[in-house]
Every structure is written in structure tokens, then in C-alpha cells.
Amino acid sequence: MNMKKRRGRTSRKRRNHSRCFSQCGVNLSHKCEYIRLKKWLKERGYEDSILRPAQFSETGRGLMTTKALQVQLIIALPEKCLLTTDTVLNSYLGEYIIKWRPPVSPLTALCTYLIAEKWFHKKSLWHPYLDLLPETYTCPVYLQQEAVNLLPEPLRRKAHEQRSLVQELYNSSKSFFFSLQPLFPEDVESIFNYSAFQWAWCTINTRTVYMKHSQKECFSREPDNYALAPYLDLLNHSPSVQVKAAFNEKTRCYEIKTLSRCAKYKEVFINYGPHDDQCLLLEYGFIATSNPHNSVHVGTDTLLKYIIPEDKQRHRKVSILQEHRLLNNLTFGWDGPSWRLLTVLKLLCLEAHQFTSWKKVLLGDTISERNEKKSLDLATKICTSLTEETRQALQKVSLLKRDYVHLVNQLTLVEALHMEDLKILLLSAENLRHLCCTTI
């Protein structure tokens, strides 16, 4: 589907996030909440004869197909079923948003509407959908500090940034929330509290599909590309499937076409994009086991620890790497150190008489067998160090799981992320041993 950022969601507690196509699900169509949702969708022009809500042991709640799928359209959700900023502007909030200055962001408007509609509950036109939304999430905004502190870098830094962003957005929106007091019989401060805003923000960040809207004067300049898509958002992610997804201007439906086959009564998947597990956890709150896009990041601090203090060119080497923006996105993957990481290490391993050849290194040329060996040895040291750090992190998680029983679910997710990193690092070490043998 090549989903852009903020297109997906998670609503399930996962123990194992691999996407297993041989797994059949337990049909949930008979449950009252799904009957209400299907009736609500039918009233808005959507009927589905292929997909059924189901519970899967590997992925939690999802959608299964009642017939074998080839390359075909699997869902076409009418515009009336989509919750967008147009929905908000056409509601009781519209007049408040239009007159508010400075303008609120499209994201704030959607968060406000979700909080209000959830408070109105059964009086809400959207209550059959709202009733099926999760009460909590597992993206970093919701994680306890003890769990966040054990996340690997750069995810830990990004998690702190995400938490700060949400808190700042809430703080800057408080005065707008107070202006809505005439709409509610109770104090808006108790309705639009941080916990409610946190839930609304995560709902939008993890569950929306990408749908570009024209710029409106009543909103700030932030992108307006969100659409909550009831029922469609039950589809889970798999990195191994291919789909096409977009809003069809002719049919006025959000359509998903699968490009991958799926057997009868098996789970149907979509693809949020080529994201590694750190990105999936940050944006959607889950990880995908054996994700081909996974990698272990090598931070600048980790890298620079291995520069020899006696190297007179060390400052110049770092300056060159900074100038060429080569100190970011250095990784170990399933097949070993990335080309980018090895290139950086080759430059750092240049001896004094070789330093003038640094441009050749950046172009991918081999300088000498000695330089090749030194860079591979350095890669092995870094890989070994990261492996030890990962093992220590897993030990800390294990101890916390014992002492903080209420955080077991969050810590299990962090543990799974580190386990994936450990798999990659062990495979990288094996690949490096092979590379070292071939360069001797």
C-alpha cells in the first residue's frame, strides 16, 4: 500500500507480530458491536460480501476473506463513512473552529472532535465506530517511562520527542478547549484532559489513512491529510504483501486493491510501507517479527568511541563525514553491515599516508587490503559491543517484568524489539566472520 506516515493503527496486544498466512481466524461477525458497525456502514452506502472481522492468534483482531483473493479490489469505503476535517467543520464544532484565532491545526480539530464524540457516546452519530476503538495504545506516547528508557536508540530519542510534541500540542490547545464550554453541561477541563487528548492523538496517528484535503483558511498551515476509515482500519500490516490504496475521485470511495493472493478464510493484510520495527513501534505501536526492513542503528557516539586518539586526522575525518551527511543511518542489517556503515569505517581507518584518498573511499573504491581488513575488524568490534548492550538491555527488561507486573505488556513489546535486534546482530557477526576470511 506504500502507506505514508500516519496511515495506520494498532488496536491489539501482540505477543508475536509475525504475519502468518496459514492462520485461520475466529469469525466475530455475530458479535453485537460488529453487527451495529455493519448496519451503520450499510446506512452510509457500504456493504461487504468478502471480508469478515475475525480474531487471529498471531495478530489479534483483523479481517479475513470468505473467498480466495487474486489481484482485485477488496474494499471500497464511501466518502460518507470517512471521518475527516470536513466532518468536523460540518458538526457543532464548525462555528467554533472558524472563528478561533490563531487557527487550530487539522490534527487538533480531529482530536477535539474525537474527544467530544466519545464523551457524547451513544448520542454520537459515530458511536458504532467509536465503540470498537481501543481504549489504550502501545506507541511511545502511552508507554511508561520505565519502558521508554529501555528502548534502543534512535527510537528512545524519537519517543521522547513524540511525547513532548503531544504534550506541547495539548498545552497549546487548552484555550480552544475552554471556548467550547457552551457545548457541554460539565466542565470542559474534565472532558478535554490530557489523557483524553493522548487517546485521540494516538487514534489519529495510528489508524488514519492518507487522504489529501484542500487547504482551508480556518485551519493552520499544517498538512490536512487524515481520514479515519471505519472497518477498513481493521486490516493489519504485513511487510510481505503488496496493495494499492487511494481515494478514488470518480467513485468517491477510499479503495484498496490487493496485489497479493490470499486463501479462503485467511487473514487479509495491507502494507503500511517499507518501515523497520523502530518506525512501526513509534508510529503504530507494534513490531513485525522477521521484518525484512529491520536494522540495528549505530549511533554517532558509538561510532566515535572507536576513533584512535592518536589519529592526527581524526577531526578532519569526522568533519568530512559530517559535511557529506554520512553520520546518520548507519546500520547492521540481516546481511551484515550496510554499505554506508562500511564506507564510513573505511574512511575512519585510513592511515596518514592514505588520507588524501578519502574521496575514492566515498566513491566505493578499494584503497588497500589492510584498510579493508581494519574496517571489517572495526565493524566486528562495534557489532560485538552492540550485541553485549542488547543482551544487557534484555536482562534489564527481564528484571523489570518481574518487579513491575503492571508493565508486563509494555515491557514484552520492548523485549521483542531487542530480540529482533539481537537476531540481526548475531547474523551480522556471522557475515562479518565470512567477510574477514575472504579478505585475508
Side-chain angles (χ1 to χ4, degrees), residues 298-306 318 322 326-328 330:
V298 180
T300 303
D301 292 342
T302 300
L303 184 74
L304 298 183
K305 282 192 302 187
Y306 293 90
V318 173
Q322 289 173 335
L326 287 172
L327 288 177
N328 296 320
L330 305 176

Side-chain angles (χ1 to χ4, degrees), residues 8-9 14 72 94 109 115 122 145 157 212 219 224 236 280 312 314 317 325 377 398 420 422 427 439-440:
R9 50 87 206 91
R14 295 172 171 84
Q72 66 185 86
I115 295 168
K122 290 190 177 179
Q145 193 61 54
R157 172 178 53 79
K212 189 172 179 60
F219 290 132
D224 185 2
N236 287 321
L280 289 175
K312 294 181 180 180
R314 64 185 185 279
K317 288 176 179 178
R325 299 180 180 178
D377 287 344
S398 181
E420 288 299 298
L422 186 60
L427 276 174
T439 56
I440 295 175

Side-chain angles (χ1 to χ4, degrees), residues 17 23 66 131 151 155 215 252 280 288 312 326 334 342 345 358:
H17 301 282
Q23 187 72 42
T66 56
D131 283 350
L151 292 171
L155 178 58
Q215 186 71 44
R252 307 303 297 175
L280 289 175
K312 294 181 180 180
L326 287 172
W334 294 106
L342 283 177
L345 296 180
W358 66 265

Side-chain angles (χ1 to χ4, degrees), residues 334-348:
W334 294 106
D335 54 355
S338 65
W339 179 89
R340 188 181 179 93
L341 175 58
L342 283 177
T343 300
V344 167
L345 296 180
K346 288 175 185 178
L347 190 146
L348 293 176

Side-chain angles (χ1 to χ4, degrees), residues 21 64-69 261-268:
F21 288 89
M64 73 174 179
T65 177
T66 56
K67 71 174 188 177
L69 299 178
R261 295 182 178 183
C262 185
K264 186 176 181 179
Y265 300 130
K266 300 302 185 289
E267 184 169 9
V268 180

Side-chain angles (χ1 to χ4, degrees), residues 100-290:
W100 187 258
R101 292 293 180 272
V104 300
S105 69
L107 177 58
T108 298
L110 284 166
C111 286
T112 306
Y113 187 69
L114 278 179
I115 295 168
E117 290 295 288
K118 188 179 183 184
W119 184 85
F120 286 125
H121 193 50
K122 290 190 177 179
K123 292 180 181 178
S124 167
L125 293 174
W126 294 85
H127 84 267
Y129 172 57
L130 296 174
D131 283 350
L132 284 169
L133 290 176
E135 289 296 322
T136 187
Y137 292 91
T138 48
C139 43
V141 169
Y142 257 92
L143 298 182
Q144 293 297 308
Q145 193 61 54
E146 292 86 350
V148 173
N149 290 340
L150 289 172
L151 292 171
E153 289 290 359
L155 178 58
R156 183 165 65 248
R157 172 178 53 79
K158 292 179 180 178
H160 287 300
E161 290 172 357
Q162 185 187 77
R163 291 156 73 90
S164 296
L165 181 150
V166 176
Q167 184 67 61
E168 288 168 11
L169 184 59
Y170 172 70
N171 291 339
S172 66
S173 303
K174 280 184 177 180
S175 55
F176 172 66
F177 297 151
F178 285 128
S179 76
L180 305 177
Q181 186 61 70
L183 295 172
F184 301 93
E186 67 179 69
D187 190 351
V188 290
E189 192 170 6
S190 66
I191 299 172
F192 294 91
N193 54 56
Y194 180 69
S195 178
F197 187 83
Q198 186 183 40
W199 170 84
W201 187 91
C202 286
T203 297
I204 294 163
N205 195 64
T206 63
R207 303 184 76 84
T208 50
V209 294
Y210 183 87
M211 182 178 171
K212 189 172 179 60
H213 305 284
S214 58
Q215 186 71 44
K216 299 179 181 68
E217 289 185 7
C218 61
F219 290 132
S220 61
R221 289 294 177 182
E222 283 88 343
D224 185 2
N225 50 25
Y226 309 96
L228 282 164
Y231 200 61
L232 181 152
D233 65 1
L234 294 176
L235 289 163
N236 287 321
H237 164 77
S238 170
S240 62
V241 303
Q242 289 183 304
V243 296
K244 285 184 177 180
F247 184 75
N248 188 323
E249 296 290 346
K250 292 182 179 179
T251 64
R252 307 303 297 175
C253 291
Y254 194 92
E255 298 179 348
I256 294 181
K257 181 180 182 180
T258 180
L259 305 179
S260 304
R261 295 182 178 183
C262 185
K264 186 176 181 179
Y265 300 130
K266 300 302 185 289
E267 184 169 9
V268 180
F269 294 95
I270 55 175
N271 192 321
Y272 297 177
H275 304 309
D276 65 16
D277 277 352
Q278 289 207 12
C279 178
L280 289 175
L281 181 57
L282 181 70
E283 300 298 341
Y284 308 114
F286 67 89
I287 69 168
T289 301
S290 301

Side-chain angles (χ1 to χ4, degrees), residues 50-90:
I50 299 176
L51 304 178
R52 296 288 182 273
Q55 188 73 23
F56 299 89
S57 62
E58 299 291 330
T59 59
R61 188 174 63 176
L63 291 178
M64 73 174 179
T65 177
T66 56
K67 71 174 188 177
L69 299 178
Q70 306 297 321
V71 176
Q72 66 185 86
L73 186 71
I74 57 170
I75 194 165
L77 200 63
E79 190 172 17
K80 288 182 180 179
C81 299
L82 302 175
L83 198 164
T84 66
T85 51
D86 287 335
T87 310
V88 181
L89 287 177
N90 290 326

